[in-house]
Amino acid sequence: MKYDYLIVGAGLFGAVFAREMTNMGRKCLVIDKRKHIAGNIYTEEIDGIYVHRYGAHIFHTSDKKIWEYVNRYTEFNQYINSPVAVYGDELYNLPFNMNTFSKMWGIKTPAEAKEIIERQIRKAGIKEPANLEEQAIRLVGTDVYEKLIKGYTQKQWGRKCTELPAFIIKRLPLRFTYDNNYFNDRYQGIPVDGYTKMVEKMLEGIEVRLETDYFQVRNEIDADTTVYTGPIDEYFGYTLGHLQYRSLRFETEKLDCENYQGNAVVNYTAADVPYTRIIEHKHFTFGKQPVTVITREYSSEWKPGEEPYYPVNDSKNTELYRKYQELAEQEQGLIFGGRLGQYQYFDMDKVIASALSCVESQKK
Ligand code: FAD
């Protein structure tokens, strides 16, 4: 069998690309080395609860076309992401807003909150931040930094904030309204039947082979063009070295209780709690099941062979990625796409936009 496109990876990028090309009459084969489709947005059903296996995923976008696009494949609910943060025995709303400030300082008005923050920033007197700690204090003052940023960031990066460069944090938005909606986007929600069904619908009528590693079958499949959504450095056998990532470890547990924490996302911001957050999956879909499933999320150092999550886009890795891109440009009939192929953190809406623009480039 001869294919127009071999698509490596049944994640969001691969599924959107395959769908669009199939709609245009092209013959596509999608392969994935995992046992399931949907890549990192995979949700598995446990007792009627959709569990986000590779980390909590909330769909949000300001792009109306992308919102209409995903709504063709699933129905979204009205979920609004409003995480809370636990620091010792204190609990605060996120993102940093008037609910947070009011609880922290017992104040009511934006003027009072601004006055406290500005006073703390003035007192710290940081002009040229030498590290992440100084940068954060310069932006939000000492209280918000100490309680809500310091320990969490330290766990995320596995290093003290004084040892991290200032540029990691460019902005720390402060909201002087009583608004707990984490995202500023116009459209937001969670698929009522989980993300896996959405991707299943995208892949309807397309040949998909699971548990199929590209490197084991590359010589057996005849395709004009390969769209590769795995890690770009792996494709080239790491000849120039390994790109680095931050990784995550998930500890998932089913609990015999109806409601464990009352919210889908609870961040743990103190350094002495080893996990960064606990996800209670049923709250993403307003589940009423008698049991619940929670996931503790730990941030971890990435080693080759482990699941890569967040690319480390520092100058060293960006330079290495650029060199791999140069190798990629010399190949005929090969496209690199998605978060691993392009070594970039993409939200889901951006990955869809990127796949659709890749489809457009194929029309030329
Ligand atoms: P993937 O989903 O990783 O798909 C790539 C696929 O390629 C995988 O299934 C893999 O098995 C397969 N593959 C790799 N190598 C091979 C090979 N050699 N042979 C065969 N198959 C191979 N975005 C949001 O919009 N909202 C969120 O709330 C959000 N939360 C996130 C939370 C976390 C912890 C992370 C890490 C990301 C989050 N994202 C979120 C981003 C979202 O996960 C990505 O946008 C999306 O998953 C990218 O899809 P992809 O197709 O590029 O990659």
Side-chain angles (χ1 to χ4, degrees), residues 7-53:
I7 295 140
V8 182
L12 198 50
F13 189 99
V16 168
F17 187 89
R19 175 76 272 148
E20 293 304 303
M21 283 304 174
T22 306
N23 289 352
M24 284 159 54
R26 305 280 161 58
K27 184 105 193 101
C28 296
L29 168 64
V30 179
I31 62 168
D32 203 297
K33 62 182 179 186
R34 292 179 179 171
K35 287 191 173 126
H36 58 75
I37 58 164
N40 273 17
I41 65 170
Y42 174 68
T43 41
E44 65 183 321
E45 210 179 321
I46 300 177
D47 286 288
I49 299 165
Y50 293 105
V51 174
H52 299 213
R53 163 97 69 92

Side-chain angles (χ1 to χ4, degrees), residues 295-326:
T295 299
R296 289 185 194 83
E297 196 173 301
Y298 299 81
S299 194
S300 70
E301 205 66 54
W302 174 85
K303 288 185 250 12
E306 286 178 355
E307 197 62 57
Y309 281 98
Y310 297 109
V312 180
N313 292 114
D314 59 9
S315 52
K316 188 176 123 217
N317 284 287
T318 305
E319 176 64 11
L320 183 56
Y321 170 61
R322 210 185 48 73
K323 287 186 179 146
Y324 277 118
Q325 259 186 317
E326 281 168 15

Side-chain angles (χ1 to χ4, degrees), residues 8-14 31-34 36 38-41 54-60 183 212-215 228-231 234 248 250 277 297 309-310 337-340 345-349 351:
V8 182
L12 198 50
F13 189 99
I31 62 168
D32 203 297
K33 62 182 179 186
R34 292 179 179 171
H36 58 75
N40 273 17
I41 65 170
Y54 303 92
H57 279 77
I58 297 119
F59 196 91
H60 58 99
F183 297 115
T212 305
D213 192 325
Y214 172 69
F215 299 105
Y228 181 84
T229 72
E234 186 179 20
L248 295 171
F250 301 108
R277 51 186 196 166
E297 196 173 301
Y309 281 98
Y310 297 109
R339 63 181 194 102
L340 299 167
Y345 178 85
F346 279 125
D347 272 329
M348 291 180 273
D349 61 329
V351 116

Side-chain angles (χ1 to χ4, degrees), residues 190-217:
I190 303 274
V192 290
D193 297 323
Y195 288 99
T196 309
K197 293 230 174 71
M198 176 181 91
V199 176
E200 202 175 280
K201 188 119 192 268
M202 287 175 174
L203 291 171
E204 221 167 63
I206 299 169
E207 187 180 345
V208 179
R209 293 187 206 160
L210 296 176
E211 296 182 81
T212 305
D213 192 325
Y214 172 69
F215 299 105
Q216 256 131 53
V217 299

Side-chain angles (χ1 to χ4, degrees), residues 81-87 91-105 107 110 113-114 117 120-121 132 135-153 156 169-184 267-269:
N81 194 31
S82 314
V84 294
V86 170
Y87 176 77
L91 186 141
Y92 296 102
N93 288 104
L94 296 174
F96 314 133
N97 71 77
M98 281 307 297
N99 289 303
T100 327
F101 309 141
S102 152
K103 189 101 173 260
M104 201 170 274
W105 301 311
I107 49 104
K114 280 183 190 168
I117 292 169
Q120 293 187 356
I121 292 173
L132 189 145
Q135 168 76 328
I137 292 172
R138 198 175 70 99
L139 294 169
V140 297
T142 35
D143 283 352
V144 173
Y145 169 69
E146 288 288 339
K147 294 186 174 193
L148 300 176
I149 297 171
K150 187 178 178 177
Y152 193 83
T153 310
Q156 267 188 320
I169 293 184
K170 290 196 178 67
R171 294 180 316 122
L172 280 172
L174 297 172
R175 220 180 252 174
F176 293 96
T177 53
Y178 286 91
D179 176 9
N180 294 328
N181 181 353
Y182 195 80
F183 297 115
N184 290 316
N267 288 8
Y268 283 80
T269 56

